[in-house]
Amino acid sequence: MTRPGALAFSARVLRRQLVLAVRRPVEIGNPLLFFAMVVALFPLGLGPAPAQLSLFAPGILWIIALLSNLLTSDAVFRGDFEDGALEQLLLAPQPLFLSVLAYICAHWLVTGLLLALVSPVFAVMLHMAPAGIAALVLSLLLGTAVLSLVGGIGAALTVGLRRGGMLISLLILPLYMPVLIFGSAAVQAALSGLAAGPYLAILGAMLCLGMALAPLAIAAALRISVDA
Amino acid sequence: MTRPGALAFSARVLRRQLVLAVRRPVEIGNPLLFFAMVVALFPLGLGPAPAQLSLFAPGILWIIALLSNLLTSDAVFRGDFEDGALEQLLLAPQPLFLSVLAYICAHWLVTGLLLALVSPVFAVMLHMAPAGIAALVLSLLLGTAVLSLVGGIGAALTVGLRRGGMLISLLILPLYMPVLIFGSAAVQAALSGLAAGPYLAILGAMLCLGMALAPLAIAAALRISVDA
Amino acid sequence: MWSFFHKLGSPPWLYAISGSILRWLLPATLLALAVGLAWGLLFTGPEARQGNSYRIIYIHVPAAVVALAGYYVMAIAGAVNLIWKMKMADVAMKSAAPIGAALTFIALVTGAIWGKPTWGTWWVWDARITSMLILLFLYLGVLALYEAFDNKAAAGKACAVLSLVGMVNIPIIYKSVDWWYSLHQPASIKFIGQSTIDSSMLHPLLLMIAAFYALFTCCLLLNMRAELLQREARTNWVKKLAVAADSRG
Amino acid sequence: MSRPGPGALCTLGEAGGPLLAARDVSLERGGRQLFTRLSFEVHGGHLVQIEGANGAGKTSLLRILAGLSRHGFEGRVQRGAALLYLGHASGVKGLLSPRENLAWHVAGEGSYSAAQIEAALAAVGLYGYEDVPSNTLSAGQHRRVNLARLHLSRSPLWLLDEPFTAIDRRGVGELEELLVAHAERGGAVVFTSHQPLRVNYDVRALCLLRGLLP
Amino acid sequence: MSRPGPGALCTLGEAGGPLLAARDVSLERGGRQLFTRLSFEVHGGHLVQIEGANGAGKTSLLRILAGLSRHGFEGRVQRGAALLYLGHASGVKGLLSPRENLAWHVAGEGSYSAAQIEAALAAVGLYGYEDVPSNTLSAGQHRRVNLARLHLSRSPLWLLDEPFTAIDRRGVGELEELLVAHAERGGAVVFTSHQPLRVNYDVRALCLLRGLLP
Amino acid sequence: MWEALSQKLYFHSIDALLAMDGHGTFVWSAYLITVVVVAAILIAPRRRQRRFLRRLAGEIKRARGDRANVREDI
Ligand code: HEM
Ligand SMILES: Nc1ncnc2c1ncn2[C@@H]1O[C@H](COP(=O)(O)OP(=O)(O)OP(=O)(O)O)[C@@H](O)[C@H]1O
Ligand SMILES: Nc1ncnc2c1ncn2[C@@H]1O[C@H](COP(=O)(O)OP(=O)(O)OP(=O)(O)O)[C@@H](O)[C@H]1O
Ligand SMILES: [Mg+2]
Ligand SMILES: [Mg+2]
C-alpha cells in the first residue's frame, strides 16, 4: 500500500475542515450575521440619509467584509495548534504548503464565498444602485480569497502565542489595504458607469501572486510557531 | 487567620489582571493600533475627501471603538476558563459578582480608557471639528464602560463553547446598539452646537444600570458555562 | 571573501570592528547633522510660497527616505537569517526595526506639523502620507510580533517571514495607494514639485539625507552591539568585557 | 516534605459531622448510567480513592462533589467544610511565575507571607524556578505549581482529580505522604487515581464499575 | 489486544541502518543545561524508555528526535525511517467522532478500510463510543482515540510522550504488550514514562539526570 | 571667515530666528521632536548595554564571592 499523494491528502484536509465547519453551523452563520449587524450599525452611527449611504455603500460593504475576514482568520490554525493536530500535520510526509492551502481554501469557502453570495442583499439594504452589484460580488469573490491567504499568514505567525488576540490584526491589516482599495474601486467604477474589469484583473493578479507565495510563507511560519 | 474580604479579593483579581496585561504590552497596544488601523481603512474605502470624512467622523470613531471592544471582550474569561482558573474562582468563598466586576474593570482600563484618551488624535485625522472632541472623549469614557459590561455577559455565556469567537458578536451587538446611538448622538450634538449633556447623562444612567445588573448576569452565566 | 562572511558570523569580531567603525562614524554623523541643521536653518533663504516653514524639509525628507530604506535593510537581513541561518542577520533585523519605526514616526510627525501652516490641516489622506502610515504599521507589527514570542530564536524567524511578506507588499501598497488617491482627487493639495527646489536648498538637503543614512547606520551598530552582548552573555569574551567595564567604573 | 503552612484547619460545619455526604447520587451521561444511588460520607481522617476504568465517571463524580456540576444529576450532596478542588486543568497562568501563580491561587483562602509561598514551592521541588514564566515549565513542573497549594491549604476537604499525573516517582512518594499527613491531622482527601497508593494508611476505595465496555 | 492493521512495516532508510541516530545532542533551556553530548542509536527491536525527573528534558528530547524542534539545540539527529510521534496534546478534535478522528489521523500514512478503523477503536476499548462527539469522552478515552493509531501504524519508529497518562490499569497492560509486539516485529519505540514497564523484554533505559533540584 | 559666514546668515537676530516669520512654533517643535527622538534612539542602546554589563559584572562578582565564602567555611 502506498502513501496517499499530496493532492489526495490536501483534499482530505479540505474535507475535514469543511466537516468541522458544518458541525458547528454557528461558525458558518456567524460571519454573515456579523456582516448583517455591522451593516445595520452604519446607519445608526452615521445617520440614515439614503443618499449618503448609497454613496458610501461600496466602501462600507468592503470594509465590513474585510473586518469579518479578519475576525475569522485568527481561528484558522488555532484549534489545530492547541490540540496538537498541527504537529501531526507538520510530521506528515506530504508537503506542508499544499495541505496549508487546503486550510485556506476551506476558510474562504465558509467565509468569503458565502459573504460574496449574500452581499447583494446588504447592498440593497444600503440603497446601492443595482449597476454595481455584479462588480461587488465578483470583487468580493476574488478579494476575499486574497484576504484569506494573507490572513492565513498572520494566523500562522501568531498561532503559537498565548493571547495573540489582536496582534493578528496589526500584522495583516496593512496587507489588506491594497485589496480594499481595488475592491471598492471596482464597485465604484461600475457604479459610475466605468469598466470594473481592470480592477478585477488586478485583484485576480493579486490572487495569483498570493496563491504562489502565501502557502510558502504560511508553511514556514507554522514550522516556526510549533517550534517556539 | 481570617479569609480575605470580598473587596480585598476583588482588588487582588484586578491587580492580577492588570499584571497579566502589562506582562504583554502588546496586549495593551493592540486595541489602540487596531483603532488606528481601522481609522485608516475608512478613508481608503470611502475616499479621502476631508469634507465627507468629517461628516462621518463621529459615527466612524464610535463604530470602531465598539468593534475594538467587541474583539477584545471575547478574551476576558477565555484564558481563565481554559486553564481551570475559572473553576477556582467559582469555588472561592468570596461572592462571584464582585470578582467578576474586577475582570470587567481591568478590561475597561486596558481598552476603553486608553481608547478614549487617544481618540482626539484620530478625530483630528478624520478632520473632525474641535468642538466635538470633548464630547467624544467623555462619551467614549462612559460608553466603553457600558460596552465592557455588556461584552462581559456575552463572554461569560460563550466561554464554554469551543470557537465561540463570533458567537459573542451575535449575542452582544444588539445590546451595543443603544450605546452606539447615544454615544455618536452626543458627539453630533456637540458638533452642531447643541448640548451633549443629555446624551452623556443617558450614557451615565446606562452605566449605573449596567454596574448593578451585569455582574449578576455574568456570575450566573459563568456558573452555567463551567457546568456545561 | 568567504573568510569575510565567516568573520561576520563571529560575534567578538563584529563587536570589535563595529566599535572601531563607530569611533569615527558617530562623531562624523553628529557633525554632519549639526552642519546640515545649521545650514538649513540659518544660511538659506525662505521658500517662495511657504516661507520659513519649508525648513522642516531638512528633517522630514531625510527621515522619510531613510525610514523606507530601513525597511528593506530589515527585510533583507531577515531573508539572510531564514536562508543562511546567520545569527548576525537576526541581530541586525531585530536592531533595525525600532530605528525604522522611530524614523517613520519622525517623518509622520514633522509632516503633520508642516501640513498645518501649509495646508491648514494636520492630516490629509494623501497617497504618500497614507502609505507612510502603513509603513509605520508594518514596523510596529514586526516589533510587536517580536515582543510577543518568548522564544527569541523563533521570534527572529517569525519576524523575518513577516518582514519579507511586507517587503513584497510595499510596492503593491505604494502603487495601490497612489492609484486610489489619483482616483479620488479630493483636494488640490500637492507636494511642492521636485523641480522647483532651488540648488541652495538642495545641497543642505542632500547633506541631511546623507547624515540620516549615517545616523541609521550608527544606531543599527549600537543596537547590534547591545544585542550581541546579551545573546553572548555566557561566553568568556563578554564576561571579560563586563569585568573590564566594571573595573573601569 | 516539611509543611510550610500553619497547622490548624478551619472547619465550617458542626464539629463531628461529616465533611462531605452524598445521598443517592445517580448520574447518566450520553445515554449511559454511570452510577446509581451512590451514598457515602467522608469524615475527617478519611482517605478515599475513587477507582474505575476510563470513562467510569470518576471526574464527573468529583465535579458533582465539588459543586461544579449542579445540574443533570440526581440525589443530594452536602458539604460540611471548606473544600479544595484540583481538576485536570490547573489554573496556572503561563505568563505569571510560579510564585505569582501560587500567591494568587491561595489568595481566596487567607493571606500568606512571601516566605510561606516560597517554602511551599520549595516543598514541591520548584526551588530555583520561582520566578521563571510558568509556560516554560515542563508538564510535571506545571502540575507541581498546583500541588504546592496543598502545602498551604487550610481547607479540611481536598478533592483531587488524578493528582499523580505527570509527577515523577519521587514526587509521587512525597505527595502520598502529604495526603496521609493531611488525613492524620483530621482532614479528608477524596482523589482519583489508577495506581494504588503505597502508604501505611487505611485507604478507602470507592469503586465505579461501569466504564469502558469489555 | 489483536492487531487490526496489516503486518509489514514500511522502511525508508537503508536496510540494517539505525532507525534513529542522535550525535552529540546538547540542549540548554532557560539557562539550564538539560543534557550534554547525548549520542545513541535506535535500531529495529529496541524499546527505549527515556527516564528522568520532572523537568529533566524528556519532552524536549523527544521533540528534537521527532524533528519538531529544529532550532536551539546542538548536535545532529538522523532519522532512517518514517516515524509516528504522539505528544502530550493529542490532536483529537472534540467535534469529530473517534471514528472520524482516527480516520483523519492515519490519512497521511495510507488508506485504511472502515473495518480496519473500527477494529482499531475496538482494540483500545472504544467499542460503542465510535460515533459520539469526542468532546464528551473522558480523559482516558480521549487518550485512547490517539493510541488507536498505534494499531494501524506502519511506521517502524514510534516516539511516544507519556503514553500511559490517564490510562487505567488494564489499558496500561494492553499498551505495554502492544509496544513489545511492535519491537518484536522489527519496529522500535522510544517513549517516556515515570513507571517502569512490567514486560518480559529488554527495555533500554536512557536516563536524563538533571531536572528538579533536590 | 566668520564674517563671510555671518554675512550669509539669513536671520539677523535671535528673535527673528525664533519667530521665523510666524512659522517658528511649527519649525521649532518639529526640530525639537526630531532631536528628542534621535537622541532617544542613540542613547537607548548604550544605556541598555551599560546596564547589562553592570548586571553581568555583578553576577560574576557574586559567583566569585560565593566560592570564596565556601572556601572560608571549609
Ligand atoms: C504627515 C504628513 C506627511 C508624511 C507622512 C509625509 C511623507 C513623505 C514621504 C514618504 C516622502 C517621500 C520621500 C521619498 O520620495 O522617498 C516625502 C517627501 C516630501 N514631503 Fe512629505 N509627508 C508629509 C507631509 C508633508 C508636508 C505637509 C509637506 C509640505 C507641504 C511635505 C513636503 C514634502 C517634500 C517637499 C518632499 C520631498 C520632495 C518629493 O519627493 O516630492 N510633506 N514626504
Ligand atoms: N520554552 C521554554 N523556555 C525555557 N525553558 C523551557 C521551555 N520549555 C521547557 N523549558 C525547560 O526545560 C526543562 C525540560 O522541560 P521538559 O518539558 O523537556 O521536561 P520533561 O522531562 O518532559 O518533564 P516532565 O516529566 O515534567 O514532563 C524544564 O526545566 C523547563 O523549565
Ligand atoms: N459532556 C458530556 N456529555 C455526554 N457524556 C459525557 C460528557 N462528559 C463525559 N461524558 C461521559 O461520561 C463518562 C464518564 O466521564 P468521566 O470523565 O467522568 O470519566 P472518568 O472516570 O474520569 O474517566 P478517566 O479515567 O478516563 O478520566 C464517559 O463515558 C463520557 O463519555
Ligand atoms: Mg477523569
Ligand atoms: Mg514532559
Side-chain angles (χ1 to χ4, degrees), chain D residues 36-196:
Chain D
T36 321
R37 304 187 135 267
L38 219 54
S39 295
F40 57 90
E41 291 191 348
V42 178
H43 289 267
H46 284 189
L47 219 55
V48 184
Q49 175 167 14
I50 305 182
E51 289 178 358
N54 290 140
K58 302 181 292 300
T59 301
S60 311
L61 177 59
L62 222 49
R63 287 179 71 90
I64 291 174
L65 295 181
L68 285 171
S69 290
R70 309 200 296 173
H71 309 289
F73 70 95
E74 283 160 34
R76 265 173 321 123
V77 175
Q78 280 176 343
R79 282 169 287 272
L83 65 81
L84 175 73
Y85 168 82
L86 296 185
H88 284 304
S90 60
V92 174
K93 300 262 158 227
L95 288 179
L96 299 182
S97 67
R99 189 197 302 280
E100 290 164 325
N101 266 306
L102 183 57
W104 151 250
H105 279 152
V106 296
E109 282 196 82
S111 35
Y112 295 88
S113 70
Q116 282 175 310
I117 301 275
E118 202 149 313
L121 286 174
V124 293
L126 287 175
Y127 175 79
Y129 292 90
E130 293 94 344
D131 294 310
V132 305
S134 297
N135 55 11
T136 68
L137 294 178
S138 78
Q141 289 170 328
H142 213 261
R143 191 89 196 142
R144 278 160 185 260
V145 178
N146 228 258
L147 294 175
R149 279 187 77 170
L150 300 179
H151 286 277
L152 296 178
S153 165
R154 283 191 212 85
S155 306
L157 179 61
W158 293 354
L159 303 178
L160 313 178
D161 199 359
E162 309 218 16
F164 302 108
T165 295
I167 303 290
D168 60 23
R169 249 170 280 173
R170 184 163 146 203
V172 169
E174 289 171 347
L175 185 55
E176 286 171 345
E177 280 168 35
L178 185 66
L179 300 190
V180 170
H182 182 66
E184 278 167 353
R185 282 188 316 146
V189 187
V190 181
F191 66 98
T192 69
S193 170
H194 294 296
Q195 307 301 326

Side-chain angles (χ1 to χ4, degrees), chain A residues 2 27 29 32 50 66 70 82-83 86 116 121 124 147 152-153 175 191-192 196 198 215 220 227:
Chain A
T2 55
E27 281 296 301
L32 297 182
L66 190 151
L70 183 73
E82 278 166 6
D83 65 15
L86 211 53
V121 178
V124 170
L147 296 184
I153 300 178
L175 308 180
L191 282 177
S192 41
D227 194 349

Side-chain angles (χ1 to χ4, degrees), chain C residues 184-200:
Chain C
H184 288 279
Q185 288 173 342
S188 53
I189 294 169
K190 284 271 153 29
F191 283 122
I192 49 171
Q194 295 97 313
S195 52
T196 59
I197 196 160
D198 190 83
S199 74
S200 72

Side-chain angles (χ1 to χ4, degrees), chain D residues 55, chain E residues 92 97-98 126 129 132-143 145:
Chain E
V92 174
S97 67
L126 287 176
Y129 291 91
V132 305
S134 297
N135 55 12
T136 67
L137 295 178
S138 78
Q141 289 169 328
H142 214 261
R143 191 90 196 141
V145 178

Side-chain angles (χ1 to χ4, degrees), chain C residues 22 25 29 33 62-63 66-74 92-93 95-101 103 139 209-223, chain F residues 38 41-42:
Chain C
L22 277 175
L25 186 59
T29 306
L33 280 175
V66 178
L68 208 62
Y71 195 90
Y72 287 95
V73 171
M74 184 177 78
M93 191 201 72
S95 307
I99 313 170
L103 289 175
Y139 270 124
I209 292 180
F212 264 67
Y213 268 114
L215 176 71
F216 181 84
T217 316
C218 285
C219 289
L220 184 66
L221 289 178
L222 283 172
N223 266 333
Chain F
V38 167
I41 57 176
L42 276 174

Side-chain angles (χ1 to χ4, degrees), chain F residues 9 14 27-28 30 41 46 49-51 69-70 74:
Chain F
L9 268 180
I14 295 288
V27 176
W28 287 116
I41 57 176
R46 319 190 100 202
Q49 177 166 342
R50 215 168 315 124
R51 277 209 191 141
N69 287 345
V70 169
I74 297 169

Side-chain angles (χ1 to χ4, degrees), chain A residues 1 3-4 9 12-13 16 19-20 23-24 79-80 82-85 87-89 91 93-94 223 226-227, chain E residues 12 63 66 68-71 82 85 89-93 95-96 100 103-104 107-111 149 154:
Chain A
M1 198 187 328
R3 288 224 183 91
F9 186 68
R12 269 205 98 114
V13 174
R16 182 190 68 141
V19 167
L20 279 173
R23 283 286 149 84
R24 263 223 198 293
D80 280 19
E82 278 166 6
D83 65 15
E87 292 174 356
Q88 299 297 339
L89 197 75
L91 289 174
Q94 287 79 6
R223 286 198 196 282
V226 167
D227 194 349
Chain E
L12 288 182
R63 285 178 72 88
L68 285 171
S69 289
R70 310 199 297 171
H71 310 289
Y85 168 83
S90 61
V92 174
K93 300 264 157 226
L95 289 180
L96 299 181
E100 290 163 325
W104 151 250
E109 282 196 82
S111 35
R149 277 187 77 171
R154 283 190 212 87

